[in-house]
Short mmCIF file of all heavy atoms in Angstrom, two decimals:
data_model
loop_
_atom_site.label_atom_id
_atom_site.label_comp_id
_atom_site.label_asym_id
_atom_site.label_seq_id
_atom_site.Cartn_x
_atom_site.Cartn_y
_atom_site.Cartn_z
N MET A 1 5.45 12.29 -5.17
CA MET A 1 5.78 10.90 -4.91
C MET A 1 7.28 10.70 -4.82
O MET A 1 7.75 9.97 -3.96
CB MET A 1 5.16 10.03 -6.00
CG MET A 1 5.49 8.58 -5.86
SD MET A 1 4.66 7.87 -4.44
CE MET A 1 4.62 6.20 -4.91
N ALA A 2 8.05 11.33 -5.70
CA ALA A 2 9.50 11.17 -5.68
C ALA A 2 10.09 11.74 -4.40
O ALA A 2 11.06 11.19 -3.85
CB ALA A 2 10.12 11.84 -6.90
N VAL A 3 9.52 12.83 -3.91
CA VAL A 3 10.02 13.42 -2.67
C VAL A 3 9.74 12.49 -1.50
O VAL A 3 10.59 12.30 -0.63
CB VAL A 3 9.38 14.81 -2.44
CG1 VAL A 3 9.74 15.35 -1.07
CG2 VAL A 3 9.80 15.77 -3.53
N THR A 4 8.57 11.87 -1.48
CA THR A 4 8.21 10.96 -0.40
C THR A 4 9.14 9.75 -0.38
O THR A 4 9.63 9.35 0.67
CB THR A 4 6.75 10.50 -0.55
OG1 THR A 4 5.92 11.64 -0.55
CG2 THR A 4 6.35 9.58 0.58
N VAL A 5 9.41 9.19 -1.55
CA VAL A 5 10.30 8.03 -1.63
C VAL A 5 11.71 8.43 -1.19
O VAL A 5 12.38 7.69 -0.48
CB VAL A 5 10.30 7.43 -3.05
CG1 VAL A 5 11.34 6.33 -3.18
CG2 VAL A 5 8.92 6.89 -3.38
N SER A 6 12.15 9.61 -1.58
CA SER A 6 13.47 10.09 -1.17
C SER A 6 13.55 10.27 0.34
O SER A 6 14.55 9.93 0.97
CB SER A 6 13.80 11.41 -1.85
OG SER A 6 13.82 11.25 -3.24
N LEU A 7 12.49 10.82 0.93
CA LEU A 7 12.48 11.00 2.38
C LEU A 7 12.45 9.66 3.11
O LEU A 7 13.09 9.51 4.15
CB LEU A 7 11.29 11.87 2.80
CG LEU A 7 11.42 13.35 2.46
CD1 LEU A 7 10.12 14.08 2.77
CD2 LEU A 7 12.57 13.97 3.22
N VAL A 8 11.72 8.69 2.57
CA VAL A 8 11.70 7.36 3.17
C VAL A 8 13.11 6.77 3.13
O VAL A 8 13.59 6.22 4.14
CB VAL A 8 10.70 6.43 2.45
CG1 VAL A 8 10.91 4.98 2.84
CG2 VAL A 8 9.28 6.86 2.76
N ALA A 9 13.78 6.89 2.01
CA ALA A 9 15.14 6.37 1.90
C ALA A 9 16.08 7.10 2.87
O ALA A 9 16.90 6.47 3.54
CB ALA A 9 15.63 6.50 0.47
N LEU A 10 15.97 8.41 2.94
CA LEU A 10 16.84 9.19 3.82
C LEU A 10 16.59 8.84 5.29
O LEU A 10 17.54 8.54 6.04
CB LEU A 10 16.61 10.69 3.61
CG LEU A 10 17.40 11.61 4.53
CD1 LEU A 10 18.88 11.51 4.22
CD2 LEU A 10 16.91 13.03 4.38
N PHE A 11 15.33 8.84 5.72
CA PHE A 11 15.01 8.51 7.10
C PHE A 11 15.40 7.06 7.43
O PHE A 11 15.88 6.76 8.51
CB PHE A 11 13.54 8.73 7.40
CG PHE A 11 13.18 10.16 7.71
CD1 PHE A 11 12.22 10.82 6.98
CD2 PHE A 11 13.80 10.84 8.73
CE1 PHE A 11 11.88 12.13 7.26
CE2 PHE A 11 13.48 12.15 9.03
CZ PHE A 11 12.51 12.80 8.29
N GLY A 12 15.19 6.17 6.49
CA GLY A 12 15.56 4.77 6.70
C GLY A 12 17.06 4.60 6.87
O GLY A 12 17.52 3.86 7.75
N LEU A 13 17.83 5.29 6.06
CA LEU A 13 19.29 5.21 6.15
C LEU A 13 19.79 5.79 7.47
O LEU A 13 20.63 5.19 8.14
CB LEU A 13 19.92 5.94 4.96
CG LEU A 13 21.42 5.82 4.82
CD1 LEU A 13 21.80 4.37 4.52
CD2 LEU A 13 21.90 6.72 3.71
N VAL A 14 19.26 6.96 7.85
CA VAL A 14 19.68 7.57 9.11
C VAL A 14 19.28 6.69 10.29
O VAL A 14 20.06 6.47 11.22
CB VAL A 14 19.07 8.99 9.25
CG1 VAL A 14 19.31 9.55 10.64
CG2 VAL A 14 19.66 9.91 8.19
N LEU A 15 18.08 6.13 10.25
CA LEU A 15 17.64 5.26 11.34
C LEU A 15 18.50 4.01 11.43
O LEU A 15 18.85 3.56 12.53
CB LEU A 15 16.17 4.88 11.13
CG LEU A 15 15.52 4.05 12.22
CD1 LEU A 15 15.55 4.80 13.56
CD2 LEU A 15 14.09 3.72 11.84
N PHE A 16 18.88 3.46 10.28
CA PHE A 16 19.75 2.28 10.27
C PHE A 16 21.06 2.58 10.98
O PHE A 16 21.51 1.80 11.83
CB PHE A 16 20.01 1.84 8.82
CG PHE A 16 21.07 0.78 8.71
CD1 PHE A 16 20.78 -0.53 9.03
CD2 PHE A 16 22.34 1.10 8.28
CE1 PHE A 16 21.76 -1.51 8.94
CE2 PHE A 16 23.32 0.14 8.17
CZ PHE A 16 23.03 -1.18 8.50
N PHE A 17 21.69 3.72 10.65
CA PHE A 17 22.97 4.04 11.28
C PHE A 17 22.81 4.40 12.75
O PHE A 17 23.70 4.10 13.56
CB PHE A 17 23.67 5.16 10.51
CG PHE A 17 24.29 4.68 9.23
CD1 PHE A 17 23.83 5.14 8.01
CD2 PHE A 17 25.31 3.75 9.24
CE1 PHE A 17 24.39 4.69 6.83
CE2 PHE A 17 25.88 3.29 8.07
CZ PHE A 17 25.42 3.77 6.86
N LEU A 18 21.71 5.02 13.13
CA LEU A 18 21.48 5.31 14.54
C LEU A 18 21.31 4.03 15.35
O LEU A 18 21.83 3.89 16.46
CB LEU A 18 20.26 6.21 14.72
CG LEU A 18 20.44 7.67 14.30
CD1 LEU A 18 19.10 8.39 14.37
CD2 LEU A 18 21.47 8.36 15.17
N LEU A 19 20.58 3.08 14.80
CA LEU A 19 20.38 1.81 15.49
C LEU A 19 21.67 1.00 15.53
O LEU A 19 21.97 0.34 16.52
CB LEU A 19 19.26 1.00 14.83
CG LEU A 19 17.86 1.57 15.00
CD1 LEU A 19 16.87 0.79 14.15
CD2 LEU A 19 17.45 1.53 16.45
N ARG A 20 22.42 1.05 14.45
CA ARG A 20 23.68 0.31 14.38
C ARG A 20 24.71 0.89 15.35
O ARG A 20 25.50 0.15 15.93
CB ARG A 20 24.21 0.36 12.95
CG ARG A 20 25.42 -0.49 12.74
CD ARG A 20 25.78 -0.54 11.29
NE ARG A 20 26.98 -1.32 11.13
CZ ARG A 20 27.89 -1.11 10.22
NH1 ARG A 20 27.72 -0.12 9.36
NH2 ARG A 20 28.95 -1.86 10.14
N GLY A 21 24.72 2.20 15.50
CA GLY A 21 25.67 2.85 16.39
C GLY A 21 25.23 2.91 17.83
O GLY A 21 25.93 3.48 18.67
N HIS A 22 24.08 2.35 18.15
CA HIS A 22 23.53 2.34 19.51
C HIS A 22 23.40 3.74 20.08
O HIS A 22 23.62 3.97 21.27
CB HIS A 22 24.38 1.47 20.44
CG HIS A 22 24.52 0.07 19.98
ND1 HIS A 22 23.48 -0.83 20.02
CD2 HIS A 22 25.57 -0.60 19.43
CE1 HIS A 22 23.88 -1.99 19.52
NE2 HIS A 22 25.15 -1.87 19.16
N THR A 23 23.06 4.71 19.25
CA THR A 23 22.85 6.08 19.71
C THR A 23 21.35 6.37 19.69
O THR A 23 20.85 7.09 18.84
CB THR A 23 23.60 7.09 18.82
OG1 THR A 23 23.21 6.88 17.47
CG2 THR A 23 25.09 6.93 18.95
N LEU A 24 20.65 5.76 20.60
CA LEU A 24 19.21 5.90 20.66
C LEU A 24 18.84 7.00 21.64
O LEU A 24 19.35 7.05 22.75
CB LEU A 24 18.55 4.59 21.06
CG LEU A 24 18.87 3.40 20.15
CD1 LEU A 24 18.27 2.14 20.72
CD2 LEU A 24 18.34 3.65 18.76
N GLY A 25 17.96 7.86 21.23
CA GLY A 25 17.53 8.96 22.09
C GLY A 25 16.34 9.64 21.44
O GLY A 25 15.61 9.06 20.64
N TYR A 26 16.15 10.92 21.77
CA TYR A 26 15.03 11.66 21.21
C TYR A 26 15.17 11.86 19.71
O TYR A 26 14.19 11.82 18.98
CB TYR A 26 14.90 13.01 21.91
CG TYR A 26 14.53 12.90 23.36
CD1 TYR A 26 15.41 13.29 24.35
CD2 TYR A 26 13.29 12.38 23.73
CE1 TYR A 26 15.08 13.18 25.69
CE2 TYR A 26 12.95 12.26 25.07
CZ TYR A 26 13.84 12.66 26.04
OH TYR A 26 13.50 12.54 27.35
N GLY A 27 16.38 12.07 19.25
CA GLY A 27 16.61 12.22 17.81
C GLY A 27 16.25 10.97 17.05
O GLY A 27 15.64 11.03 15.97
N SER A 28 16.59 9.81 17.60
CA SER A 28 16.25 8.54 16.95
C SER A 28 14.75 8.34 16.91
O SER A 28 14.22 7.81 15.93
CB SER A 28 16.90 7.38 17.71
OG SER A 28 18.29 7.51 17.69
N ALA A 29 14.08 8.73 17.96
CA ALA A 29 12.62 8.60 17.98
C ALA A 29 12.00 9.48 16.91
O ALA A 29 11.07 9.06 16.21
CB ALA A 29 12.07 8.98 19.35
N PHE A 30 12.51 10.69 16.74
CA PHE A 30 12.01 11.59 15.69
C PHE A 30 12.25 10.99 14.31
O PHE A 30 11.37 11.02 13.45
CB PHE A 30 12.69 12.96 15.80
CG PHE A 30 12.31 13.90 14.70
CD1 PHE A 30 11.07 14.50 14.69
CD2 PHE A 30 13.20 14.16 13.67
CE1 PHE A 30 10.71 15.36 13.67
CE2 PHE A 30 12.84 15.02 12.65
CZ PHE A 30 11.60 15.62 12.65
N ILE A 31 13.43 10.42 14.09
CA ILE A 31 13.75 9.79 12.81
C ILE A 31 12.82 8.60 12.56
O ILE A 31 12.30 8.42 11.46
CB ILE A 31 15.23 9.34 12.78
CG1 ILE A 31 16.15 10.55 12.85
CG2 ILE A 31 15.53 8.51 11.55
CD1 ILE A 31 16.06 11.48 11.67
N ALA A 32 12.58 7.79 13.58
CA ALA A 32 11.71 6.63 13.42
C ALA A 32 10.28 7.04 13.10
O ALA A 32 9.62 6.43 12.24
CB ALA A 32 11.74 5.78 14.69
N VAL A 33 9.79 8.08 13.76
CA VAL A 33 8.43 8.56 13.49
C VAL A 33 8.35 9.14 12.08
O VAL A 33 7.40 8.87 11.34
CB VAL A 33 8.01 9.61 14.55
CG1 VAL A 33 6.76 10.34 14.12
CG2 VAL A 33 7.80 8.94 15.89
N GLY A 34 9.35 9.91 11.68
CA GLY A 34 9.37 10.45 10.32
C GLY A 34 9.43 9.36 9.28
O GLY A 34 8.73 9.41 8.26
N PHE A 35 10.24 8.32 9.54
CA PHE A 35 10.34 7.20 8.61
C PHE A 35 8.99 6.50 8.46
O PHE A 35 8.53 6.23 7.36
CB PHE A 35 11.40 6.22 9.11
CG PHE A 35 11.54 4.99 8.26
CD1 PHE A 35 12.09 5.07 6.99
CD2 PHE A 35 11.15 3.75 8.73
CE1 PHE A 35 12.23 3.94 6.21
CE2 PHE A 35 11.29 2.62 7.96
CZ PHE A 35 11.83 2.71 6.70
N GLY A 36 8.34 6.24 9.58
CA GLY A 36 7.03 5.58 9.53
C GLY A 36 5.97 6.43 8.86
O GLY A 36 5.15 5.94 8.09
N PHE A 37 6.00 7.73 9.14
CA PHE A 37 5.02 8.63 8.55
C PHE A 37 5.16 8.68 7.03
O PHE A 37 4.18 8.54 6.30
CB PHE A 37 5.20 10.04 9.14
CG PHE A 37 4.29 11.07 8.53
CD1 PHE A 37 2.96 11.12 8.88
CD2 PHE A 37 4.77 11.97 7.60
CE1 PHE A 37 2.12 12.07 8.31
CE2 PHE A 37 3.95 12.92 7.04
CZ PHE A 37 2.62 12.97 7.40
N PHE A 38 6.37 8.86 6.55
CA PHE A 38 6.56 8.94 5.11
C PHE A 38 6.42 7.58 4.43
O PHE A 38 5.97 7.49 3.29
CB PHE A 38 7.92 9.57 4.78
CG PHE A 38 7.93 11.05 5.04
CD1 PHE A 38 8.68 11.58 6.05
CD2 PHE A 38 7.16 11.90 4.27
CE1 PHE A 38 8.69 12.93 6.31
CE2 PHE A 38 7.15 13.26 4.52
CZ PHE A 38 7.92 13.78 5.54
N LEU A 39 6.77 6.51 5.11
CA LEU A 39 6.59 5.17 4.55
C LEU A 39 5.11 4.86 4.38
O LEU A 39 4.71 4.22 3.40
CB LEU A 39 7.26 4.12 5.43
CG LEU A 39 7.24 2.69 4.93
CD1 LEU A 39 8.04 2.60 3.63
CD2 LEU A 39 7.82 1.75 5.95
N ALA A 40 4.28 5.33 5.29
CA ALA A 40 2.85 5.08 5.21
C ALA A 40 2.20 5.77 4.02
O ALA A 40 1.15 5.34 3.56
CB ALA A 40 2.16 5.53 6.50
N SER A 41 2.83 6.81 3.51
CA SER A 41 2.23 7.52 2.38
C SER A 41 2.78 7.05 1.04
O SER A 41 2.49 7.65 0.01
CB SER A 41 2.45 9.03 2.54
OG SER A 41 3.82 9.34 2.51
N THR A 42 3.56 5.98 1.02
CA THR A 42 4.05 5.43 -0.24
C THR A 42 3.22 4.22 -0.62
O THR A 42 2.32 3.79 0.11
CB THR A 42 5.53 5.00 -0.11
OG1 THR A 42 5.62 3.94 0.83
CG2 THR A 42 6.42 6.15 0.29
N GLY A 43 3.54 3.63 -1.74
CA GLY A 43 2.85 2.44 -2.20
C GLY A 43 3.18 1.21 -1.37
O GLY A 43 2.54 0.17 -1.50
N ALA A 44 4.19 1.31 -0.52
CA ALA A 44 4.58 0.18 0.32
C ALA A 44 3.65 -0.02 1.50
O ALA A 44 3.73 -1.05 2.19
CB ALA A 44 6.01 0.37 0.83
N ALA A 45 2.76 0.93 1.76
CA ALA A 45 1.89 0.84 2.93
C ALA A 45 0.96 -0.38 2.85
O ALA A 45 0.76 -1.07 3.85
CB ALA A 45 1.08 2.11 3.10
N GLY A 46 0.40 -0.64 1.69
CA GLY A 46 -0.52 -1.77 1.53
C GLY A 46 0.14 -3.11 1.82
O GLY A 46 -0.36 -3.89 2.66
N PRO A 47 1.25 -3.43 1.15
CA PRO A 47 1.91 -4.71 1.45
C PRO A 47 2.42 -4.83 2.88
O PRO A 47 2.38 -5.91 3.46
CB PRO A 47 3.10 -4.72 0.47
CG PRO A 47 2.69 -3.84 -0.64
CD PRO A 47 1.82 -2.78 -0.02
N ILE A 48 2.86 -3.71 3.47
CA ILE A 48 3.31 -3.76 4.87
C ILE A 48 2.14 -4.09 5.79
O ILE A 48 2.26 -4.90 6.71
CB ILE A 48 3.99 -2.44 5.27
CG1 ILE A 48 5.32 -2.31 4.53
CG2 ILE A 48 4.19 -2.36 6.78
CD1 ILE A 48 5.97 -0.96 4.69
N ASN A 49 0.98 -3.49 5.55
CA ASN A 49 -0.21 -3.80 6.35
C ASN A 49 -0.63 -5.25 6.17
O ASN A 49 -1.03 -5.91 7.14
CB ASN A 49 -1.36 -2.86 5.99
CG ASN A 49 -1.16 -1.46 6.53
OD1 ASN A 49 -0.45 -1.27 7.50
ND2 ASN A 49 -1.78 -0.49 5.89
N GLN A 50 -0.56 -5.76 4.95
CA GLN A 50 -0.92 -7.16 4.70
C GLN A 50 0.05 -8.10 5.41
O GLN A 50 -0.35 -9.11 5.97
CB GLN A 50 -0.93 -7.44 3.20
CG GLN A 50 -2.07 -6.76 2.48
CD GLN A 50 -1.99 -6.92 0.97
OE1 GLN A 50 -1.00 -7.44 0.44
NE2 GLN A 50 -3.02 -6.48 0.28
N LEU A 51 1.35 -7.78 5.35
CA LEU A 51 2.35 -8.60 6.03
C LEU A 51 2.13 -8.60 7.53
O LEU A 51 2.18 -9.66 8.17
CB LEU A 51 3.75 -8.09 5.70
CG LEU A 51 4.90 -8.81 6.41
CD1 LEU A 51 4.99 -10.25 5.93
CD2 LEU A 51 6.20 -8.09 6.16
N ALA A 52 1.87 -7.42 8.11
CA ALA A 52 1.62 -7.34 9.55
C ALA A 52 0.38 -8.15 9.93
O ALA A 52 0.38 -8.86 10.93
CB ALA A 52 1.45 -5.89 9.97
N GLY A 53 -0.67 -8.07 9.12
CA GLY A 53 -1.88 -8.86 9.38
C GLY A 53 -1.61 -10.35 9.30
O GLY A 53 -2.12 -11.13 10.12
N ALA A 54 -0.80 -10.76 8.33
CA ALA A 54 -0.47 -12.18 8.19
C ALA A 54 0.35 -12.68 9.38
O ALA A 54 0.13 -13.80 9.87
CB ALA A 54 0.28 -12.42 6.89
N VAL A 55 1.29 -11.86 9.85
CA VAL A 55 2.09 -12.26 11.00
C VAL A 55 1.24 -12.36 12.25
O VAL A 55 1.37 -13.32 13.02
CB VAL A 55 3.26 -11.25 11.20
CG1 VAL A 55 3.94 -11.45 12.54
CG2 VAL A 55 4.26 -11.36 10.06
N ILE A 56 0.34 -11.41 12.45
CA ILE A 56 -0.54 -11.45 13.62
C ILE A 56 -1.44 -12.67 13.58
O ILE A 56 -1.64 -13.35 14.58
CB ILE A 56 -1.36 -10.14 13.72
CG1 ILE A 56 -0.42 -8.99 14.08
CG2 ILE A 56 -2.48 -10.27 14.73
CD1 ILE A 56 -1.06 -7.62 13.98
N THR A 57 -1.97 -12.96 12.40
CA THR A 57 -2.82 -14.15 12.24
C THR A 57 -2.03 -15.42 12.53
O THR A 57 -2.53 -16.33 13.20
CB THR A 57 -3.42 -14.20 10.83
OG1 THR A 57 -4.16 -13.00 10.61
CG2 THR A 57 -4.33 -15.40 10.66
N ALA A 58 -0.80 -15.51 12.04
CA ALA A 58 0.02 -16.69 12.26
C ALA A 58 0.36 -16.86 13.74
O ALA A 58 0.36 -17.97 14.26
CB ALA A 58 1.31 -16.59 11.45
N ILE A 59 0.62 -15.75 14.43
CA ILE A 59 0.93 -15.83 15.87
C ILE A 59 -0.28 -16.29 16.66
O ILE A 59 -0.16 -17.08 17.59
CB ILE A 59 1.46 -14.47 16.37
CG1 ILE A 59 2.84 -14.21 15.80
CG2 ILE A 59 1.49 -14.42 17.90
CD1 ILE A 59 3.38 -12.83 16.10
N GLN A 60 -1.46 -15.82 16.27
CA GLN A 60 -2.68 -16.21 16.98
C GLN A 60 -2.99 -17.69 16.81
O GLN A 60 -3.61 -18.28 17.68
CB GLN A 60 -3.87 -15.38 16.49
CG GLN A 60 -3.82 -13.93 16.91
CD GLN A 60 -4.96 -13.13 16.33
OE1 GLN A 60 -5.67 -13.58 15.43
NE2 GLN A 60 -5.13 -11.91 16.81
N GLN A 61 -2.56 -18.27 15.70
CA GLN A 61 -2.86 -19.68 15.44
C GLN A 61 -1.85 -20.63 16.05
O GLN A 61 -1.98 -21.84 15.93
CB GLN A 61 -2.97 -19.92 13.94
CG GLN A 61 -4.15 -19.22 13.31
CD GLN A 61 -4.25 -19.43 11.82
OE1 GLN A 61 -3.39 -20.06 11.22
NE2 GLN A 61 -5.30 -18.91 11.23
N LEU A 62 -0.82 -20.10 16.69
CA LEU A 62 0.19 -20.96 17.33
C LEU A 62 -0.33 -21.62 18.57
O LEU A 62 -1.12 -21.29 19.28
CB LEU A 62 1.45 -20.17 17.66
CG LEU A 62 2.27 -19.73 16.47
CD1 LEU A 62 3.47 -18.91 16.95
CD2 LEU A 62 2.78 -20.91 15.67
#
């Protein structure tokens, strides 16, 4: 679990700087996929899925 959280933090930080520096390419796509993959295996996956469902429901009701 500690390794997963560390990888999420690392991938998130690298992705933040790649997006901020406008250096988007294949490397950024790999970082984004790795970030999503490791984020999905943490305890944050449940609340993120609930938030996404709530946003989709709210958009449908507009």
